[in-house]
Amino acid sequence: MTTKSDDLEPSESRVTIARIAAETGVSVPTVSKVLNGRPDVAETTRARVEAVIGKYGYRRRSDERSRRSRLLELMFHELESTWALEIIRGVEYVARENGMAVVLAESSGRHTPGQSWLESVLARRPVGIVSVCSDFTGGQLAKLRARDIPLVVVDPAGAPGPETPSIGATNWQGGLTATRHLVELGHRRIAVIGGPEGVLCSRARIDGYRTALETAGLAFDPALVRRGDFHVRAGYRELASLLTLPDRPTAVFAGSDLQALGVYEAARDAGLRIPDDLSVVGFDDLPIARWLTPELTTVRQPLQEMAAAGARLAISLARGVVPESHRLELATSLVVRHSTAAPAHQGYRVLTRGAS
């Protein structure tokens, strides 16, 4: 018995632009315009075509992939610090290796990119996207998959879906190592200034901090846990608040190097010397850490390496290579400089001091 192909259940291998056009009642060029993100399509028509694309799970054929531009898209939720510059350097290095250019985009502080960015990226047809935004909607992800534009998230704010590859760092281990260093120096009143409550890396760093205290037999004091936004002003604000406590901390794990810079400024304004009166540990190991006075002890997060790994993964996915794992974590490490020392009341200043 034979069955006509039109009676078969649709499968990805049978779905063509012509079939999508026939089902939606539009022309093949119109479907092509939707796939390429062209603006000259009515919104109702675009929505109808997108619905059928999603229904059949349409993806570009290999010959269509070969016509993509030689661009890597790099999307940030904000471009305000040297932290972002390290990510840019990592992606650009890999792009140059592969004869590609990098397009920078920013979503004005939002972790979910806007529709206008999505339409422009569909029109550019990059090889892949490396994003520091992680809260893509299901519809956005479906549209990228339909165009066979791979997305890799670097340092995700939340937990990416199982189908979204991501590159991160061992944030929990970094928080543990930073706090353990301060405990081993003899500190017992150790504060932490984390990032926003809902950001994955911030929660992991604070969890590592808490574990280090508990394994050392020290009580976890919620009054010593503060939340910032990883920027300078938050470090300044939160240390100023911590210094009003009756039993102020003798050490601070700042959660980021930029927050550590704010801690330095607040300590100076309060007449405190670092590390004599207050030890400080940062996180990231940005170039600025070596230029502070004293040089900042910090947890090195391999930002350039993370960005480069994300770019290489995006290019590999575009070439049809399936990764062994969708989640990669690169190791953090403690870089001991001169902003940490034993608390003064113990009668000795320095228990451990090293160089980067």
Side-chain angles (χ1 to χ4, degrees), residues 64-81:
E64 292 175 300
R65 293 180 209 146
S66 66
R67 296 197 294 269
R68 285 184 295 206
S69 63
R70 300 291 292 172
L71 298 174
L72 270 178
E73 187 92 9
L74 177 54
M75 161 60 84
F76 287 93
H77 66 280
E78 59 182 2
L79 270 168
E80 292 184 355
S81 71

Side-chain angles (χ1 to χ4, degrees), residues 326-356:
H326 274 65
R327 173 68 177 168
L328 175 64
E329 285 193 343
L330 301 188
T332 54
S333 59
L334 182 69
V335 182
V336 180
R337 295 193 178 100
H338 304 297
S339 65
T340 51
H345 65 78
Q346 291 199 9
Y348 51 89
R349 293 289 186 188
V350 179
L351 217 166
T352 304
R353 179 170 288 179
S356 62

Side-chain angles (χ1 to χ4, degrees), residues 35-58:
L35 286 167
N36 292 324
R38 292 270 299 275
D40 52 335
V41 178
E43 284 306 311
T44 54
T45 302
R46 185 185 304 277
R48 195 162 71 248
V49 172
E50 290 286 3
V52 176
I53 289 171
K55 172 184 172 183
Y56 289 157
Y58 172 82

